[in-house]
Amino acid sequence: FYFLLMLGLNALFSDSFVTSIEARKAKAANEKMLKEGKERKQLPISEYIERMISTVNGKAEKGSVMKFYELSIFLAMMAFILTYFLMTAKIAPLAAAVSGFMPFLYYRTKLQGIRNETSREGEILTSELLSNYKIYHTSMRTAIENTIETISSEAPHSKKLLIRLQYDINAVASKEGLKEAIDRFKFGIGTNWSIMLATNIELSLLEGLDVTSSMEDLIQQIARARKAME
């Protein structure tokens, strides 16, 4: 009798127990990644530029960083030469510096615009992703693919980032490549909630954890933050 009772209790609570353990693990990982995100070191300049360009253009282009440097140097040299010979040598270095900085300023402004727009789409993106995550039995890869199809037209920037994320995770085979793809997605949004969302995606894809509870908590946090700003 006691054996049957214990067996029944085990069957009743095992799933919820495992889910609870996974939820705690996801929450701990979120807190850790959020802390590391706030304390993270700056990316190397070339890597930052590459991510900035790929986010703005919506795709990675081979040699984009080198082309960026070449354009910056070309603009700086042209500004220096024209200012030196047509105006005055005194302001030639300043003109060169300003002109050489223009490509970075252009992409950085575009990136910030994308981040600002996407940050407002957080609740839509996370809710839709979670909905598909539940529908497709906690398969994050399938949830991402279907969220691209079902996400509201009110979140166009999130859709573009998801399309890039889907392409990247399908193109890589290694754990490191998958982490880099998720980091690119996180970089494109650049908010605290994106760090937590990226962590949930990573835990689901790499470790197979059920992150339903953690994502539900994230949606509530985003909603509270939105209401506080209204």
Side-chain angles (χ1 to χ4, degrees), residues 28-209:
N30 276 323
E31 291 174 350
K32 179 181 178 183
M33 289 300 295
L34 186 58
K35 182 178 179 181
E36 290 178 353
K38 291 178 179 178
E39 298 176 351
R40 65 181 179 274
K41 295 180 180 179
Q42 294 293 327
L43 288 171
I45 184 63
S46 293
E47 185 176 349
Y48 181 90
I49 290 173
E50 189 276 329
R51 289 190 181 185
M52 180 173 63
I53 294 173
S54 64
T55 299
V56 171
N57 294 343
K59 60 181 179 179
E61 298 178 355
K62 189 175 182 180
S64 60
V65 177
M66 184 57 64
K67 292 177 182 177
F68 177 90
Y69 286 145
E70 289 174 351
L71 176 61
S72 299
I73 293 171
F74 173 78
L75 291 175
M77 290 180 62
M78 288 300 297
F80 183 89
I81 293 171
L82 291 174
T83 306
Y84 186 90
F85 288 102
L86 299 180
M87 297 178 68
T88 173
K90 291 182 179 180
I91 62 171
L94 177 61
V98 171
S99 298
F101 186 70
M102 290 304 292
F104 181 87
L105 182 62
Y106 168 78
Y107 276 105
R108 187 65 181 82
T109 302
K110 296 281 287 185
L111 173 64
Q112 192 58 47
I114 292 172
R115 285 178 165 180
N116 290 341
E117 292 298 325
T118 310
S119 67
R120 301 188 185 100
E121 302 171 2
E123 196 170 355
I124 298 173
L125 168 60
T126 309
S127 297
E128 192 65 29
L129 183 60
L130 176 59
S131 176
N132 282 299
Y133 183 69
K134 291 178 179 178
I135 292 171
Y136 294 98
H137 310 290
T138 67
S139 170
M140 184 59 75
R141 191 181 294 267
T142 307
I144 292 170
E145 292 175 358
N146 283 274
T147 300
I148 293 171
E149 302 298 327
T150 62
I151 194 167
S152 168
S153 58
E154 296 178 4
H157 298 283
S158 295
K159 183 173 183 176
K160 289 180 182 179
L161 290 174
L162 280 179
I163 291 172
R164 173 71 191 279
L165 175 62
Q166 180 195 18
Y167 174 83
D168 286 346
I169 63 178
N170 288 337
V172 299
S174 65
K175 183 176 180 180
E176 291 72 19
L178 194 57
K179 285 185 175 181
E180 184 176 347
I182 296 171
D183 280 344
R184 290 178 184 276
F185 171 77
K186 179 172 58 179
F187 177 86
I189 305 175
T191 61
N192 285 340
W193 67 260
S194 70
I195 295 173
M196 299 171 69
L197 178 59
T199 302
N200 284 315
I201 293 173
E202 183 175 319
L203 289 172
S204 181
L205 289 175
L206 293 180
E207 300 187 27
L209 291 182

